[in-house]
Amino acid sequence: MPRYLNRFLCLDDFETVARRRLPRQIYGYYSGAAETGRSLRANRESYAELALMPRVLIDTHARSTVTSLFGKSFTQPVGIAPMGLSALSSFRGDIALARAAAEEGALMVASATSLTPLETMGAEGATRWFQAYLPGDRERIAAMLRRVGNAGFETIVLTVDVQVPANRENNVRTGFSIPLRPSPRLLWDGVCHPRWSCGTFLRTLASGMPHFENMDAFRGPAILSRTAERNIGTRERLSWEHVKFIRDNWKGRFVIKGILSSEDTAHARNAGADGVWISNHGGRQLDSAIAPLLVLQEVTREAGEMAVLIDGGIRRGTDVLKALALGADFVFIGRPFLYASVAAGGFGVRHALRLIQAEIMRDMAMLGVNTINELSPAHVRKFAAAQFPDR
């Protein structure tokens, strides 16, 4: 592991480097949210409003962060969330994320908007989870399920909160678009960021123009194609009937991502899903959508035997433990791992995974727990109640 990584002390430290190294358009795409960014901020605020209740004089020398999900063990309860266009963050960014996760015994979910073919990621053997955007068309759904299964993936994650493209005004302001449009502004930004231009963009172009590889059963358009947005399309027709069709035609694990209500959790359970993933898409879809943490307990009560996963605003080990204590089985983090790949490729991602695991391990000792399963709502309080207890 390179020594210079020692200056990164927490996940937030990676963003400073990413902001400096990436062109304004690319960084803006990764960091931005919908409209006012209210949901993006609320995700972080929801964790800041909760306090933890420590316990002392408990022997915790044998504590472990090992966590089981769907019968498989991972070194920690934190996974890398699916992130689109990761290959624009660092050279072969999707592969860097997957390999780093595998080397650290962690979980990484491949993205439908990856620029790396899912067959390539499947052949790497580093990830067996694939996140999909599927249209309301049974023939296209069936064809995509066959493709994902043939590539060796065992779990499919259906993202359901992108019915239509969001109003991401930030992308317009920074000059980012799909398709990418060459312009003097984009050219100048590339010149001003030579490390990214030479180390990521030109190296990628040397292997051919990047395409949206995994949006459908066939190869999608190039990122510079004028038909890119039309080919990606919308998912306004996708319904619970299609979810049942997916369950009937997919023999692996099936997770539905983008759940924020107990009512939809009940629908997912009745449709035979193996898990629900509570998420507001990192604040990138419906502005003012409720923070996932605020609905975690009601979703957990409705989930029954389904696994409950969560993302959104998680940055520290204390955040992870709060979510687990309130009922989550596993948590996912996105942007910081992408920024870590900008900072140092796979080494950066591995260092980021080690940082969050070390925080979890340390915090478990101070909470007086040896295993993740020992966490419960009793470990969490509202901060106001913690500061001003009833008398």
Side-chain angles (χ1 to χ4, degrees), residues 156-303:
I156 194 164
V157 178
L158 175 66
T159 295
V160 295
D161 59 356
V162 187
Q163 302 92 329
V164 295
N167 181 24
R168 298 181 189 173
E169 297 165 2
N170 179 69
N171 288 351
V172 179
R173 299 182 199 284
T174 61
F176 181 87
S177 64
I178 296 296
L180 289 178
R181 294 187 178 91
S183 66
R185 181 180 181 182
L186 185 61
L187 176 62
W188 176 248
D189 222 5
V191 170
C192 294
H193 296 83
R195 183 195 294 257
W196 177 84
S197 296
C198 297
T200 299
F201 192 63
L202 292 180
R203 284 181 71 191
T204 300
L205 284 181
S207 301
M209 179 63 66
H211 283 63
F212 289 98
E213 299 283 357
N214 307 314
M215 293 294 292
D216 218 317
F218 47 84
R219 191 185 199 196
I223 60 172
L224 297 180
S225 170
R226 292 182 180 180
T227 65
E229 188 170 6
R230 184 171 72 248
N231 275 274
I232 291 173
T234 63
R235 286 153 288 277
E236 295 165 286
R237 295 180 182 275
L238 190 67
S239 70
W240 287 108
E241 290 302 315
H242 296 105
V243 169
K244 293 177 182 176
F245 178 79
I246 294 168
R247 177 69 286 176
D248 290 340
N249 289 273
W250 175 256
K251 303 309 177 186
R253 299 289 185 178
F254 179 31
V255 175
I256 301 178
K257 180 177 181 287
I259 296 291
L260 284 172
S261 72
S262 58
E263 293 84 356
D264 285 340
T265 303
H267 282 305
R269 188 187 67 246
N270 293 334
D274 296 296
V276 289
W277 187 325
I278 310 173
S279 174
N280 64 16
H281 217 95
R284 295 167 69 84
Q285 280 302 110
L286 175 64
D287 195 28
S288 293
I290 193 167
L293 185 68
L294 300 183
V295 299
L296 173 57
Q297 287 186 288
E298 60 186 84
V299 167
T300 301
R301 285 192 293 269
E302 190 64 55

Side-chain angles (χ1 to χ4, degrees), residues 14 16 24 39 43 68 90 96 117 140 144 167 181 184 197 210 222 237 256 261-262 284 314 345 354 362:
F14 293 103
T16 302
R24 181 168 177 255
S39 289
N43 288 351
S68 178
S90 60
R140 291 174 64 186
M144 189 62 184
N167 181 24
R181 294 187 178 91
S197 296
R237 295 180 182 275
I256 301 178
S261 72
S262 58
R284 295 167 69 84
I314 299 165
R354 292 181 183 185
R362 185 183 307 114

Side-chain angles (χ1 to χ4, degrees), residues 104-124:
E104 294 299 319
L107 172 59
M108 180 265 191
V109 183
S111 170
T113 48
S114 163
L115 301 179
T116 304
L118 62 89
E119 289 81 5
T120 301
M121 289 186 279
E124 291 279 338

